[in-house]
Amino acid sequence: MGHSYALTGNPNSGKTTIFNELTGSAQYVGNWSGVTVEKKEGFIKNSKINVVDLPGIYSMSSSSIDEVIALEYITEENPDGILNVVSASNLERNLYLTLQLMEMKVPVLMILNMMDELSRKNIKLDVDRLKEIFDIQIILTGQNDRKNLSRIKEIDLKGLKSNFARFSYFSKEIQDGIREIASHISLQTLTQYKADPQWLALKIMEGDNKIIEACCAKDAAIIEKAKAIRLIIEKSEGVEFSQLLAAQRYSYLGEIAGQVLIDADGNMDRESVSEKIDKIMTHRILAIPIFLGIMWTIYYITITGLGSKSIEVMEWLISDLFTGAVKALMVTMDVSTWLQSLVIDGVIGGVGAVLVFIPQIMILFFFISILEDSGYMARIAFVMDRIFKKFGLSGKSVIPMLVGSGCSVPGIMATRTLENERDRKLTILLTPFISCGAKMPVYLLFVSAFFAANSHWVVFSLYLLGIVTAMVSGVVLTKVRYKGVESDFILEMPPYRVPALKSVLLHMWDKGKDFLIRAGTIIFAASVIMWFAQSFDLSFQMVQDPSTSVLADFGRLVAPVFAPLGFGDWITSVAFITGFVAKEIVISTLSVLHGVSQGALGSSLTEFYTPLSAYSFMVFVLLASPCFAAISVMKRELGSWKETGFSILYQTGTAYLLSMAVYQIGSLFIK
Amino acid sequence: MTIIDLKPGQCGEIYEMTLDSKIKHKLMEMGMTPGTSVQFVRTAPLGDPINIKVRGFNLGIRRDVAMNITLK
Amino acid sequence: MGDFLLLVPIILFTAYIVIKNMKNVKAGKCSCSESCSGCNMSCDKK
């Protein structure tokens, strides 16, 4: 049939899980508002139906980026139907979106999710009545019962009509207004902009600028007329028009809920398990110790516990097993010595240096994904908001930053859930200060060489420095650049849910795969280029000693800039510059340029750095401009090169000053 | 009387919200329309924001917002 | 012979990655994997 459907629903309605069930794709599931930061699509298993996963939203207005994306997709791509995921355990608010979809007069199929959560609350739902009211088909499903979902492909949504009495819940004045405006919308507009005239009339009256611009910016008469009607209604009601709509919709939804929800033991507001957990997790005294305890545990297991074991295993695999085999193979193939060096020192040295840390990065993502899926991340935001507010940010900035501790790219994209434009820009700028998974290998390498005795404390100090720098920058930039509007905090705290192991592992694998792909592509390429650059001199003659190579000449040119930070050698300068491509490349560079394999790199570094300059090195890597991928996403989310350029300069400048301070002040005490 | 005058566990009915129109719109779209019953659940450990319950779900809002939501 | 078999693929692959990534950065298409790969944002189309 080749249909195309759009999947919509509130944040935390289980929409993403359902998308995974439907398409079997490895998309990642989260429990905090707005995990769907990328547009994902896939075919429903065993069918030709394409499903597009729209961002989780509460409403179809144009007040956040996610809402605009969803609204534009439905009005401009005209999908054959909408799959609307509705959480039965939070019916009224979820139906608010359904109501708006019905107003658009698009074919809707309701997927009523969380039926098991509802029955745990001992509430019954009259599904037949709900079907009757909306005159649409409903598919029931729950966290542990997904079999009904396969019925979706048996239902053809295209052209499906509902006799739902849309707009009947609005006051007479509004209904009259809709009819009046709808009758004046020109045929030309309607053929160009394929939307239902009455819905369009409502949107024009609401003054939805995105829609007006798309449909009828030239038709000044109708815009004026709609505005006149809106003003009359607003004056007589004393409330803003869009708020009036919300109030009237909700009062109707209240009626519906009264009709379809039957409370079995007459105690609708009984305390749920989730609320009992919250009593402890957001407890006045316990909340912060619990939060710190959880973060410390995650971090300890990742760095020292499981993590260091995984390094040993990976080192053995790569430097002993793999390198040995490749070397033997090349000898039998009679490969020349210089090419052997390219493969062993260049490719395996560079890529291997990164590969060693991939299990550790995956462990980190495993924990981040549990934080998200369980719903705890929203509580962290709730608990931390007071502190963040002091620094000019919103508690909701915690979410992008925690995600950013895995990788800045999804972290920056997660800022879309921040409604306040100022909060969002500031959070985008500060998220890269939070140490990401790719920077972790750099610390691990250096601490094992210089600070083996108290490695996790040193790494911890760096994470802390990242957070403190972000916070202080929040204050500074609020004063200097992002003046004005205060930050906001409005955040749904979803019920705690046990994360599905399948989706946590999928997420971990997905991210691990990202890093593997990076290792196999750009890090591979960079290592090869670096090997060539350090093997030849300006006249394309192969050199014996890398320090006479082109790369060394270039490095020495830049080196004086970094001298105040504690290193004037060309290798460090090159490492910093390649760090712009990807943070892990810093260690690939060191590995290739020192010409040693992963295992021996640590001891080779001790000849080049003192513990103090090693620390200064790590500080610079932590804070300096993020990698290309992050810069590119920053540009997209900030929407301007000017802002992006400022961020990069600010971050790199901060990195420079702080690591200089570390080195210079440190030198006064340590000789 | 506003939301922050409620004691933990107490409920009230929204009468009026005197807020910036963007925030007000957002809150109303999440179901906080006049006449809706709101329960004060608890205050965050550091005194701000507060956790309220509205139409069956938990919501975190800041004190300065809650202070401007009057109850019947 | 062994030299040739090994060197050509390495060079070609490296060149391919460099060109592809430069294109992606220009287009603003980025995800965590590689430096820049898929993830066609709906908003990219315009």
mmCIF file of all heavy atoms in Angstrom, chain C:
data_model
loop_
_atom_site.group_PDB
_atom_site.id
_atom_site.type_symbol
_atom_site.label_atom_id
_atom_site.label_comp_id
_atom_site.label_asym_id
_atom_site.label_seq_id
_atom_site.Cartn_x
_atom_site.Cartn_y
_atom_site.Cartn_z
ATOM 1 N N MET C 1 54.262 -6.146 -4.779
ATOM 2 C CA MET C 1 52.836 -6.470 -4.991
ATOM 3 C C MET C 1 52.044 -6.275 -3.704
ATOM 4 O O MET C 1 51.014 -5.615 -3.666
ATOM 5 C CB MET C 1 52.714 -7.919 -5.500
ATOM 6 C CG MET C 1 51.351 -8.236 -6.116
ATOM 7 S SD MET C 1 50.894 -7.012 -7.383
ATOM 8 C CE MET C 1 49.135 -7.195 -7.326
ATOM 9 N N GLY C 2 52.583 -6.833 -2.632
ATOM 10 C CA GLY C 2 51.940 -6.677 -1.322
ATOM 11 C C GLY C 2 51.794 -5.212 -0.963
ATOM 12 O O GLY C 2 50.763 -4.782 -0.463
ATOM 13 N N ASP C 3 52.809 -4.422 -1.263
ATOM 14 C CA ASP C 3 52.792 -2.991 -0.983
ATOM 15 C C ASP C 3 51.602 -2.326 -1.628
ATOM 16 O O ASP C 3 50.837 -1.601 -1.004
ATOM 17 C CB ASP C 3 54.053 -2.321 -1.551
ATOM 18 C CG ASP C 3 55.218 -2.514 -0.617
ATOM 19 O OD1 ASP C 3 55.047 -3.289 0.346
ATOM 20 O OD2 ASP C 3 56.273 -1.906 -0.863
ATOM 21 N N PHE C 4 51.461 -2.606 -2.905
ATOM 22 C CA PHE C 4 50.436 -1.978 -3.706
ATOM 23 C C PHE C 4 49.037 -2.331 -3.185
ATOM 24 O O PHE C 4 48.188 -1.464 -2.985
ATOM 25 C CB PHE C 4 50.596 -2.445 -5.159
ATOM 26 C CG PHE C 4 49.881 -1.580 -6.125
ATOM 27 C CD1 PHE C 4 50.299 -0.271 -6.338
ATOM 28 C CD2 PHE C 4 48.777 -2.060 -6.812
ATOM 29 C CE1 PHE C 4 49.628 0.535 -7.234
ATOM 30 C CE2 PHE C 4 48.102 -1.243 -7.698
ATOM 31 C CZ PHE C 4 48.531 0.050 -7.916
ATOM 32 N N LEU C 5 48.824 -3.614 -2.941
ATOM 33 C CA LEU C 5 47.531 -4.095 -2.450
ATOM 34 C C LEU C 5 47.119 -3.406 -1.158
ATOM 35 O O LEU C 5 45.953 -3.203 -0.883
ATOM 36 C CB LEU C 5 47.594 -5.606 -2.209
ATOM 37 C CG LEU C 5 47.298 -6.481 -3.425
ATOM 38 C CD1 LEU C 5 47.462 -7.937 -3.057
ATOM 39 C CD2 LEU C 5 45.893 -6.196 -3.942
ATOM 40 N N LEU C 6 48.096 -3.055 -0.372
ATOM 41 C CA LEU C 6 47.801 -2.488 0.939
ATOM 42 C C LEU C 6 47.652 -0.970 0.868
ATOM 43 O O LEU C 6 46.739 -0.389 1.446
ATOM 44 C CB LEU C 6 48.953 -2.847 1.878
ATOM 45 C CG LEU C 6 48.644 -2.862 3.364
ATOM 46 C CD1 LEU C 6 47.526 -3.835 3.656
ATOM 47 C CD2 LEU C 6 49.902 -3.263 4.132
ATOM 48 N N LEU C 7 48.541 -0.356 0.107
ATOM 49 C CA LEU C 7 48.611 1.103 0.114
ATOM 50 C C LEU C 7 47.406 1.746 -0.572
ATOM 51 O O LEU C 7 46.803 2.681 -0.045
ATOM 52 C CB LEU C 7 49.910 1.558 -0.567
ATOM 53 C CG LEU C 7 50.186 3.061 -0.467
ATOM 54 C CD1 LEU C 7 50.318 3.457 0.998
ATOM 55 C CD2 LEU C 7 51.452 3.414 -1.216
ATOM 56 N N VAL C 8 47.041 1.225 -1.750
ATOM 57 C CA VAL C 8 45.952 1.842 -2.509
ATOM 58 C C VAL C 8 44.643 1.916 -1.715
ATOM 59 O O VAL C 8 44.053 2.986 -1.605
ATOM 60 C CB VAL C 8 45.773 1.130 -3.878
ATOM 61 C CG1 VAL C 8 44.511 1.616 -4.566
ATOM 62 C CG2 VAL C 8 46.997 1.389 -4.738
ATOM 63 N N PRO C 9 44.178 0.793 -1.135
ATOM 64 C CA PRO C 9 42.932 0.907 -0.354
ATOM 65 C C PRO C 9 43.028 1.905 0.796
ATOM 66 O O PRO C 9 42.099 2.667 1.050
ATOM 67 C CB PRO C 9 42.711 -0.496 0.194
ATOM 68 C CG PRO C 9 43.589 -1.396 -0.561
ATOM 69 C CD PRO C 9 44.683 -0.577 -1.155
ATOM 70 N N ILE C 10 44.175 1.931 1.463
ATOM 71 C CA ILE C 10 44.324 2.851 2.600
ATOM 72 C C ILE C 10 44.186 4.294 2.124
ATOM 73 O O ILE C 10 43.453 5.094 2.703
ATOM 74 C CB ILE C 10 45.681 2.640 3.309
ATOM 75 C CG1 ILE C 10 45.682 1.295 4.044
ATOM 76 C CG2 ILE C 10 45.957 3.765 4.303
ATOM 77 C CD1 ILE C 10 46.975 0.963 4.764
ATOM 78 N N ILE C 11 44.871 4.619 1.029
ATOM 79 C CA ILE C 11 44.831 5.988 0.523
ATOM 80 C C ILE C 11 43.413 6.352 0.046
ATOM 81 O O ILE C 11 42.883 7.405 0.388
ATOM 82 C CB ILE C 11 45.811 6.158 -0.673
ATOM 83 C CG1 ILE C 11 47.230 5.812 -0.248
ATOM 84 C CG2 ILE C 11 45.728 7.570 -1.254
ATOM 85 C CD1 ILE C 11 47.960 6.894 0.485
ATOM 86 N N LEU C 12 42.816 5.422 -0.714
ATOM 87 C CA LEU C 12 41.475 5.705 -1.244
ATOM 88 C C LEU C 12 40.477 5.920 -0.109
ATOM 89 O O LEU C 12 39.687 6.864 -0.115
ATOM 90 C CB LEU C 12 41.006 4.559 -2.142
ATOM 91 C CG LEU C 12 41.623 4.527 -3.541
ATOM 92 C CD1 LEU C 12 41.078 3.357 -4.338
ATOM 93 C CD2 LEU C 12 41.364 5.843 -4.273
ATOM 94 N N PHE C 13 40.534 5.041 0.874
ATOM 95 C CA PHE C 13 39.587 5.138 1.980
ATOM 96 C C PHE C 13 39.776 6.451 2.736
ATOM 97 O O PHE C 13 38.809 7.155 3.053
ATOM 98 C CB PHE C 13 39.780 3.940 2.919
ATOM 99 C CG PHE C 13 38.790 3.893 4.052
ATOM 100 C CD1 PHE C 13 37.439 3.708 3.798
ATOM 101 C CD2 PHE C 13 39.215 4.049 5.363
ATOM 102 C CE1 PHE C 13 36.527 3.667 4.828
ATOM 103 C CE2 PHE C 13 38.296 4.014 6.412
ATOM 104 C CZ PHE C 13 36.950 3.823 6.135
ATOM 105 N N THR C 14 41.029 6.799 2.974
ATOM 106 C CA THR C 14 41.316 8.043 3.679
ATOM 107 C C THR C 14 40.767 9.240 2.902
ATOM 108 O O THR C 14 40.091 10.100 3.470
ATOM 109 C CB THR C 14 42.839 8.203 3.865
ATOM 110 O OG1 THR C 14 43.320 7.064 4.565
ATOM 111 C CG2 THR C 14 43.151 9.445 4.667
ATOM 112 N N ALA C 15 41.020 9.243 1.598
ATOM 113 C CA ALA C 15 40.543 10.359 0.785
ATOM 114 C C ALA C 15 39.021 10.430 0.832
ATOM 115 O O ALA C 15 38.430 11.505 0.988
ATOM 116 C CB ALA C 15 41.014 10.195 -0.655
ATOM 117 N N TYR C 16 38.373 9.259 0.734
ATOM 118 C CA TYR C 16 36.913 9.215 0.756
ATOM 119 C C TYR C 16 36.353 9.815 2.051
ATOM 120 O O TYR C 16 35.449 10.641 2.044
ATOM 121 C CB TYR C 16 36.461 7.764 0.573
ATOM 122 C CG TYR C 16 35.020 7.516 0.916
ATOM 123 C CD1 TYR C 16 33.999 7.940 0.064
ATOM 124 C CD2 TYR C 16 34.670 6.867 2.099
ATOM 125 C CE1 TYR C 16 32.675 7.731 0.378
ATOM 126 C CE2 TYR C 16 33.349 6.649 2.422
ATOM 127 C CZ TYR C 16 32.348 7.078 1.563
ATOM 128 O OH TYR C 16 31.043 6.872 1.884
ATOM 129 N N ILE C 17 36.939 9.411 3.169
ATOM 130 C CA ILE C 17 36.460 9.893 4.466
ATOM 131 C C ILE C 17 36.630 11.405 4.580
ATOM 132 O O ILE C 17 35.732 12.122 5.019
ATOM 133 C CB ILE C 17 37.253 9.216 5.616
ATOM 134 C CG1 ILE C 17 36.981 7.714 5.636
ATOM 135 C CG2 ILE C 17 36.910 9.830 6.965
ATOM 136 C CD1 ILE C 17 35.565 7.348 5.903
ATOM 137 N N VAL C 18 37.793 11.881 4.151
ATOM 138 C CA VAL C 18 38.057 13.317 4.276
ATOM 139 C C VAL C 18 37.039 14.114 3.452
ATOM 140 O O VAL C 18 36.420 15.054 3.941
ATOM 141 C CB VAL C 18 39.502 13.642 3.822
ATOM 142 C CG1 VAL C 18 39.695 15.141 3.725
ATOM 143 C CG2 VAL C 18 40.490 13.040 4.805
ATOM 144 N N ILE C 19 36.832 13.683 2.204
ATOM 145 C CA ILE C 19 35.906 14.423 1.339
ATOM 146 C C ILE C 19 34.483 14.370 1.889
ATOM 147 O O ILE C 19 33.793 15.381 1.997
ATOM 148 C CB ILE C 19 35.953 13.850 -0.095
ATOM 149 C CG1 ILE C 19 37.325 14.149 -0.713
ATOM 150 C CG2 ILE C 19 34.849 14.434 -0.950
ATOM 151 C CD1 ILE C 19 37.600 13.379 -1.976
ATOM 152 N N LYS C 20 34.079 13.172 2.301
ATOM 153 C CA LYS C 20 32.707 13.004 2.790
ATOM 154 C C LYS C 20 32.455 13.881 4.021
ATOM 155 O O LYS C 20 31.422 14.533 4.138
ATOM 156 C CB LYS C 20 32.472 11.536 3.143
ATOM 157 C CG LYS C 20 31.023 11.224 3.416
ATOM 158 C CD LYS C 20 30.832 9.739 3.695
ATOM 159 C CE LYS C 20 29.919 9.564 4.863
ATOM 160 N NZ LYS C 20 30.152 8.316 5.566
ATOM 161 N N ASN C 21 33.428 13.893 4.925
ATOM 162 C CA ASN C 21 33.232 14.659 6.144
ATOM 163 C C ASN C 21 33.226 16.151 5.897
ATOM 164 O O ASN C 21 32.492 16.890 6.541
ATOM 165 C CB ASN C 21 34.289 14.290 7.175
ATOM 166 C CG ASN C 21 33.882 13.065 7.939
ATOM 167 O OD1 ASN C 21 32.971 13.126 8.748
ATOM 168 N ND2 ASN C 21 34.503 11.942 7.648
ATOM 169 N N MET C 22 34.058 16.571 4.929
ATOM 170 C CA MET C 22 34.047 17.999 4.639
ATOM 171 C C MET C 22 32.702 18.417 4.085
ATOM 172 O O MET C 22 32.161 19.454 4.450
ATOM 173 C CB MET C 22 35.181 18.337 3.676
ATOM 174 C CG MET C 22 36.439 18.496 4.488
ATOM 175 S SD MET C 22 37.999 18.865 3.740
ATOM 176 C CE MET C 22 37.815 19.333 2.151
ATOM 177 N N LYS C 23 32.133 17.562 3.241
ATOM 178 C CA LYS C 23 30.808 17.842 2.695
ATOM 179 C C LYS C 23 29.781 17.922 3.813
ATOM 180 O O LYS C 23 28.945 18.813 3.842
ATOM 181 C CB LYS C 23 30.397 16.728 1.729
ATOM 182 C CG LYS C 23 30.806 17.010 0.296
ATOM 183 C CD LYS C 23 30.127 16.007 -0.618
ATOM 184 C CE LYS C 23 30.552 16.183 -2.049
ATOM 185 N NZ LYS C 23 30.399 14.931 -2.806
ATOM 186 N N ASN C 24 29.840 16.955 4.732
ATOM 187 C CA ASN C 24 28.855 16.909 5.805
ATOM 188 C C ASN C 24 28.934 18.119 6.721
ATOM 189 O O ASN C 24 27.914 18.647 7.144
ATOM 190 C CB ASN C 24 29.023 15.633 6.627
ATOM 191 C CG ASN C 24 28.361 14.455 5.964
ATOM 192 O OD1 ASN C 24 27.516 14.629 5.088
ATOM 193 N ND2 ASN C 24 28.727 13.265 6.366
ATOM 194 N N VAL C 25 30.141 18.538 7.011
ATOM 195 C CA VAL C 25 30.283 19.699 7.891
ATOM 196 C C VAL C 25 29.660 20.921 7.223
ATOM 197 O O VAL C 25 28.940 21.688 7.838
ATOM 198 C CB VAL C 25 31.762 19.976 8.222
ATOM 199 C CG1 VAL C 25 31.908 21.295 8.949
ATOM 200 C CG2 VAL C 25 32.315 18.860 9.082
ATOM 201 N N LYS C 26 29.914 21.042 5.931
ATOM 202 C CA LYS C 26 29.346 22.161 5.192
ATOM 203 C C LYS C 26 27.826 22.143 5.254
ATOM 204 O O LYS C 26 27.185 23.161 5.435
ATOM 205 C CB LYS C 26 29.792 22.097 3.729
ATOM 206 C CG LYS C 26 30.838 23.136 3.401
ATOM 207 C CD LYS C 26 31.019 23.194 1.907
ATOM 208 C CE LYS C 26 32.071 24.204 1.516
ATOM 209 N NZ LYS C 26 32.593 23.916 0.187
ATOM 210 N N ALA C 27 27.262 20.932 5.096
ATOM 211 C CA ALA C 27 25.799 20.816 5.080
ATOM 212 C C ALA C 27 25.206 20.888 6.476
ATOM 213 O O ALA C 27 24.003 20.936 6.639
ATOM 214 C CB ALA C 27 25.407 19.512 4.401
ATOM 215 N N GLY C 28 26.066 20.889 7.493
ATOM 216 C CA GLY C 28 25.563 20.942 8.858
ATOM 217 C C GLY C 28 24.890 19.660 9.294
ATOM 218 O O GLY C 28 24.045 19.661 10.173
ATOM 219 N N LYS C 29 25.229 18.541 8.646
ATOM 220 C CA LYS C 29 24.625 17.262 9.025
ATOM 221 C C LYS C 29 25.575 16.538 9.952
ATOM 222 O O LYS C 29 26.643 16.121 9.533
ATOM 223 C CB LYS C 29 24.389 16.404 7.785
ATOM 224 C CG LYS C 29 23.215 16.869 6.969
ATOM 225 C CD LYS C 29 22.805 15.807 5.970
ATOM 226 C CE LYS C 29 23.865 15.598 4.911
ATOM 227 N NZ LYS C 29 23.399 14.708 3.845
ATOM 228 N N CYS C 30 25.205 16.385 11.189
ATOM 229 C CA CYS C 30 26.141 15.759 12.088
ATOM 230 C C CYS C 30 25.485 14.898 13.129
ATOM 231 O O CYS C 30 24.429 15.217 13.630
ATOM 232 C CB CYS C 30 26.965 16.810 12.806
ATOM 233 S SG CYS C 30 28.276 17.375 11.772
ATOM 234 N N SER C 31 26.114 13.808 13.453
ATOM 235 C CA SER C 31 25.707 13.044 14.615
ATOM 236 C C SER C 31 26.986 12.657 15.328
ATOM 237 O O SER C 31 28.066 13.050 14.930
ATOM 238 C CB SER C 31 24.921 11.816 14.204
ATOM 239 O OG SER C 31 25.807 10.829 13.734
ATOM 240 N N CYS C 32 26.849 11.881 16.394
ATOM 241 C CA CYS C 32 28.046 11.483 17.126
ATOM 242 C C CYS C 32 28.961 10.634 16.277
ATOM 243 O O CYS C 32 30.168 10.686 16.398
ATOM 244 C CB CYS C 32 27.666 10.665 18.335
ATOM 245 S SG CYS C 32 27.134 11.662 19.678
ATOM 246 N N SER C 33 28.350 9.787 15.435
ATOM 247 C CA SER C 33 29.185 8.839 14.726
ATOM 248 C C SER C 33 29.946 9.563 13.640
ATOM 249 O O SER C 33 29.505 10.575 13.132
ATOM 250 C CB SER C 33 28.335 7.739 14.110
ATOM 251 O OG SER C 33 27.568 8.261 13.068
ATOM 252 N N GLU C 34 31.020 9.023 13.247
ATOM 253 C CA GLU C 34 32.004 9.657 12.386
ATOM 254 C C GLU C 34 32.189 11.060 12.939
ATOM 255 O O GLU C 34 31.967 11.298 14.102
ATOM 256 C CB GLU C 34 31.490 9.714 10.948
ATOM 257 C CG GLU C 34 31.083 8.335 10.488
ATOM 258 C CD GLU C 34 30.536 8.346 9.077
ATOM 259 O OE1 GLU C 34 31.013 9.130 8.270
ATOM 260 O OE2 GLU C 34 29.669 7.531 8.804
ATOM 261 N N SER C 35 32.584 11.996 12.133
ATOM 262 C CA SER C 35 32.498 13.337 12.674
ATOM 263 C C SER C 35 31.119 13.801 12.325
ATOM 264 O O SER C 35 30.431 14.453 13.048
ATOM 265 C CB SER C 35 33.560 14.216 12.056
ATOM 266 O OG SER C 35 33.237 15.545 12.290
ATOM 267 N N CYS C 36 30.679 13.404 11.168
ATOM 268 C CA CYS C 36 29.424 13.876 10.648
ATOM 269 C C CYS C 36 28.835 12.805 9.773
ATOM 270 O O CYS C 36 29.461 12.356 8.855
ATOM 271 C CB CYS C 36 29.653 15.086 9.774
ATOM 272 S SG CYS C 36 30.085 16.508 10.725
ATOM 273 N N SER C 37 27.643 12.393 10.058
ATOM 274 C CA SER C 37 27.014 11.425 9.167
ATOM 275 C C SER C 37 25.538 11.733 9.049
ATOM 276 O O SER C 37 25.133 12.864 9.140
ATOM 277 C CB SER C 37 27.230 10.013 9.689
ATOM 278 O OG SER C 37 26.464 9.814 10.837
ATOM 279 N N GLY C 38 24.746 10.737 8.908
ATOM 280 C CA GLY C 38 23.302 10.864 8.656
ATOM 281 C C GLY C 38 22.567 11.762 9.623
ATOM 282 O O GLY C 38 23.064 12.792 9.975
ATOM 283 N N CYS C 39 21.439 11.406 10.072
ATOM 284 C CA CYS C 39 20.602 12.206 10.948
ATOM 285 C C CYS C 39 20.024 13.363 10.169
ATOM 286 O O CYS C 39 20.367 14.507 10.369
ATOM 287 C CB CYS C 39 21.324 12.681 12.204
ATOM 288 S SG CYS C 39 21.327 14.405 12.640
ATOM 289 N N ASN C 40 19.207 13.076 9.190
ATOM 290 C CA ASN C 40 18.613 14.140 8.400
ATOM 291 C C ASN C 40 17.506 14.799 9.194
ATOM 292 O O ASN C 40 16.432 14.268 9.318
ATOM 293 C CB ASN C 40 18.042 13.575 7.108
ATOM 294 C CG ASN C 40 19.124 12.885 6.327
ATOM 295 O OD1 ASN C 40 20.159 13.466 6.063
ATOM 296 N ND2 ASN C 40 18.900 11.632 5.990
ATOM 297 N N MET C 41 17.832 15.921 9.746
ATOM 298 C CA MET C 41 16.813 16.626 10.523
ATOM 299 C C MET C 41 15.737 17.138 9.574
ATOM 300 O O MET C 41 16.018 17.546 8.483
ATOM 301 C CB MET C 41 17.441 17.823 11.220
ATOM 302 C CG MET C 41 18.510 17.461 12.180
ATOM 303 S SD MET C 41 17.803 16.556 13.532
ATOM 304 C CE MET C 41 16.441 17.634 13.940
ATOM 305 N N SER C 42 14.511 17.101 10.091
ATOM 306 C CA SER C 42 13.425 17.583 9.251
ATOM 307 C C SER C 42 13.628 19.056 8.918
ATOM 308 O O SER C 42 13.256 19.522 7.865
ATOM 309 C CB SER C 42 12.096 17.374 9.955
ATOM 310 O OG SER C 42 12.169 17.869 11.258
ATOM 311 N N CYS C 43 14.276 19.771 9.852
ATOM 312 C CA CYS C 43 14.428 21.204 9.626
ATOM 313 C C CYS C 43 15.568 21.509 8.653
ATOM 314 O O CYS C 43 15.741 22.622 8.223
ATOM 315 C CB CYS C 43 14.657 21.931 10.940
ATOM 316 S SG CYS C 43 15.773 21.093 12.026
ATOM 317 N N ASP C 44 16.346 20.483 8.313
ATOM 318 C CA ASP C 44 17.441 20.714 7.386
ATOM 319 C C ASP C 44 16.975 20.949 5.962
ATOM 320 O O ASP C 44 17.694 21.481 5.150
ATOM 321 C CB ASP C 44 18.378 19.502 7.354
ATOM 322 C CG ASP C 44 19.417 19.612 8.448
ATOM 323 O OD1 ASP C 44 19.441 20.673 9.088
ATOM 324 O OD2 ASP C 44 20.167 18.667 8.647
ATOM 325 N N LYS C 45 15.752 20.471 5.711
ATOM 326 C CA LYS C 45 15.316 20.476 4.328
ATOM 327 C C LYS C 45 15.178 21.879 3.768
ATOM 328 O O LYS C 45 15.259 22.078 2.578
ATOM 329 C CB LYS C 45 13.984 19.729 4.205
ATOM 330 C CG LYS C 45 14.210 18.228 4.070
ATOM 331 C CD LYS C 45 12.922 17.493 3.825
ATOM 332 C CE LYS C 45 12.067 17.449 5.037
ATOM 333 N NZ LYS C 45 10.850 16.727 4.884
ATOM 334 N N LYS C 46 14.913 22.814 4.690
ATOM 335 C CA LYS C 46 14.715 24.170 4.176
ATOM 336 C C LYS C 46 15.997 24.976 4.265
ATOM 337 O O LYS C 46 16.778 24.748 5.130
ATOM 338 C CB LYS C 46 13.613 24.853 4.959
ATOM 339 C CG LYS C 46 12.294 24.454 4.372
ATOM 340 C CD LYS C 46 11.196 24.500 5.398
ATOM 341 C CE LYS C 46 10.320 23.289 5.266
ATOM 342 N NZ LYS C 46 9.709 22.940 6.487
#
